[in-house]
Amino acid sequence: MDELSIKIVMLLFPGIITTIFLDKFTEHKPWGNYIYSLLIIFYGILAYFTLQLIQLFCQFLHVGIDNWKEYKVVFLDSWQFVYNVSQKNEIPYSEIMWAGVVALINAMLLCRLDKTEVLSRFLQKCGITDKYGSYSVFVLMSKKYEGNYIDALFYSKNLMYRGIIDSINEYELILRNVTLYRIEDSGNLKPISEMDHVCLACSYKDLILQSPNRPPSS
């Protein structure tokens, strides 16, 4: 690896941190190499931009509003380094390190936003979109009843699992305090066994999720 390649990798280090974190801890469709590269660049710039804002804020607190107009703003050495990346200039290791810390914080905030779907709800209220985030309806219902009892019905096998949702993945569902029922021809449920935990991994077309049955209201 030549010197230019090392410099580029060092510069992209914060973006690599955020992208790998989000790839590991968020639900999404598989990213191709092109999308992965774009995200690394974007999140890297976001980390340096956030670090720049933090530095400007600290400078403002140090100088004060009265002397701010006469103060010469200090920008990150990373911007100049990017501009002259092909030249033999010193790598700003300290800024890259702090940008890495900022990138990790950004990744956790973005992961939290993805989990809570705050942005999607806001856009829905503004009438900008009707799409509820990046999750499927299956995952959305699972999240809605997380921590509560739910029925997982395998109609093709006449089986039903009733338990509390403990963990959710795109194609997997972990239930605890589970009771397994067989669905008789009459439609009645016959308990077969009880278990502490069960992991259901299947295609959506083979599984129906529903809240536990309630007596019809009179």
Side-chain angles (χ1 to χ4, degrees), residues 4 26 37 50 56 79 82 89 100 120 125 148 167 176 198:
L4 179 59
T26 61
S37 301
T50 305
L56 291 175
W79 304 125
V82 171
N89 46 5
S120 297
K125 290 182 179 180
N148 298 310
S167 182
R176 56 184 168 87
V198 65

Side-chain angles (χ1 to χ4, degrees), residues 31-216:
W31 294 335
N33 293 333
Y34 179 71
I35 298 298
Y36 216 94
S37 301
L38 286 180
L39 291 177
I40 288 176
I41 295 173
F42 172 77
Y43 289 128
I45 295 175
L46 179 63
Y48 288 111
F49 180 74
T50 305
L51 182 62
Q52 180 68 79
L53 292 179
I54 294 173
Q55 179 172 304
L56 291 175
F57 180 73
C58 293
Q59 292 174 25
F60 179 79
L61 293 180
H62 177 71
V63 175
I65 190 171
D66 295 333
N67 300 324
W68 181 252
K69 293 182 179 180
E70 301 177 359
Y71 180 74
K72 183 179 179 180
V73 178
V74 179
F75 292 99
L76 296 176
D77 293 334
S78 301
W79 304 125
Q80 186 67 26
F81 180 75
V82 171
Y83 183 74
N84 298 317
V85 69
S86 61
Q87 300 181 6
K88 291 185 176 297
N89 46 5
E90 186 178 353
I91 300 176
Y93 292 105
S94 61
E95 292 182 1
I96 292 176
M97 180 190 68
W98 283 112
V101 174
V102 171
L104 182 59
I105 297 174
N106 286 344
M108 290 187 288
L109 292 176
L110 291 169
C111 189
R112 177 63 180 175
L113 287 175
D114 180 79
K115 178 182 178 180
T116 57
E117 298 286 349
V118 172
L119 180 59
S120 297
R121 294 177 184 178
F122 174 76
L123 294 177
Q124 279 185 321
K125 290 182 179 180
C126 294
I128 298 176
T129 181
D130 291 327
K131 182 180 179 182
Y132 192 94
S134 57
Y135 293 110
S136 64
V137 177
F138 177 89
V139 176
L140 288 176
M141 183 172 182
S142 301
K143 287 182 174 292
K144 179 179 179 181
Y145 285 92
E146 189 171 7
N148 298 310
Y149 276 96
I150 199 168
D151 292 343
L153 174 64
F154 293 85
Y155 57 89
S156 61
K157 299 181 180 179
N158 293 328
L159 295 176
M160 189 186 80
Y161 294 85
R162 174 172 292 172
I164 300 175
I165 296 180
D166 202 27
S167 182
I168 307 164
N169 200 358
E170 184 67 20
Y171 297 100
E172 298 174 332
L173 192 66
I174 297 179
L175 303 177
R176 56 184 168 87
N177 299 338
V178 185
T179 302
L180 174 61
Y181 297 89
R182 181 176 299 280
I183 305 175
E184 300 179 335
D185 294 337
S186 61
N188 295 324
L189 300 177
K190 180 181 179 181
I192 299 177
S193 62
E194 296 182 351
M195 56 205 81
D196 293 331
H197 289 85
V198 65
C199 178
L200 306 178
C202 61
S203 173
Y204 296 158
K205 64 182 180 180
D206 299 327
L207 173 66
I208 294 178
L209 287 182
Q210 63 181 30
S211 59
N213 294 329
R214 294 180 299 177

